[in-house]
Amino acid sequence: MNPLPIVAPSALSDAFCDDVIRLASHLPEVDAMTEGGEVNNSIRRSKARWILPNPDSQFIFSVLDQMFRDMNRNCFGFDLDYIPEIQFTEYDASYEGNFDWHIDNIAQGHSVYSRKLSMTIQLSPSTSYEGGNLLFRGKAELPVEEIRPRGTVVVFPSFLEHCVTPVTQGRRLSLVAWIEGPNFR
């Protein structure tokens, strides 16, 4: 298993990013929550729209599922099953959008499934905002010029601690997905 984040620079086209933004713009926007399902602005300040599997969103789920499976086969070797939902996330400078240090592999009650891999996709052009950097605790910092281009995909084990630094100018749009599988043993 490769514990480091895997980066696929500009892996997705501008057209794909535009289609995702267009689809998400029609979904209800909510204040993004933290673990435990609560809004806590001292930990996270962002807006979210939830993309569920349906005929309109199938193009997104198909592309992300294939990317997860290819990267998993080449780098991680986890037992994976499905993507339950996808989060379209907005971090805006007007409210200093950010997400403090956290992991995505949260306890899900008595479920026999958990998040195994996380994926972040850069939807905004890198010049449209400042701040909003994706960082990983204890890992060498990923070069900004490598992970910020539009369409860049970052995949990492969901148990890696990470954060998004405050956006200081503009607006950062991203797509976040998790693929689940049987709990680690």
Side-chain angles (χ1 to χ4, degrees):
M1 179 193 73
N2 184 345
L4 298 175
I6 304 302
V7 179
S10 303
L12 299 172
S13 70
D14 284 343
F16 179 88
C17 295
D18 290 341
D19 288 345
V20 168
I21 292 168
R22 192 172 10 267
L23 181 139
S25 70
H26 298 290
L27 300 173
E29 182 180 84
V30 297
D31 287 331
M33 296 184 211
T34 60
E35 182 180 353
E38 64 183 14
V39 174
N40 183 337
N41 289 329
S42 67
I43 297 173
R44 183 178 193 185
R45 286 184 303 274
S46 62
K47 305 291 183 186
R49 298 171 192 252
W50 291 96
I51 302 170
L52 302 175
N54 63 51
D56 291 337
S57 64
Q58 187 57 42
F59 76 98
I60 302 170
F61 280 82
S62 294
V63 168
L64 273 55
D65 186 75
Q66 190 61 53
M67 292 188 86
F68 268 132
R69 292 183 189 286
D70 289 346
M71 289 185 180
N72 184 58
R73 185 173 26 267
N74 293 324
C75 303
F76 302 107
F78 293 162
D79 189 4
L80 304 177
D81 196 358
Y82 69 104
I83 302 170
E85 66 226 352
I86 299 170
Q87 183 182 151
F88 176 87
T89 311
E90 173 197 275
Y91 297 93
D92 196 284
S94 66
Y95 51 81
E96 296 180 341
N98 76 318
F99 197 170
D100 206 354
W101 292 103
H102 66 284
I103 60 170
D104 294 339
N105 188 356
I106 56 175
Q108 297 180 4
H110 297 289
S111 176
V112 295
Y113 274 72
S114 62
R115 292 174 177 170
K116 295 287 189 80
L117 291 174
S118 299
M119 177 184 291
T120 299
I121 299 170
Q122 175 70 19
L123 297 175
S124 302
S126 61
T127 57
S128 67
Y129 67 95
E130 292 180 14
N133 294 319
L134 176 63
L135 304 177
F136 292 88
R137 186 169 320 269
K139 302 293 175 198
E141 187 171 324
L142 297 174
V144 170
E145 62 277 0
E146 184 178 330
I147 64 171
R148 282 183 63 137
R150 190 171 200 218
T152 294
V153 177
V154 180
V155 175
F156 55 95
S158 297
F159 53 76
L160 283 185
E161 194 173 16
H162 59 286
C163 73
V164 175
T165 63
V167 171
T168 57
Q169 280 193 332
R171 182 174 69 147
R172 175 185 187 253
L173 300 177
S174 63
L175 203 58
V176 179
W178 308 272
I179 191 163
E180 296 184 355
N183 287 334
F184 288 110
R185 297 175 206 178

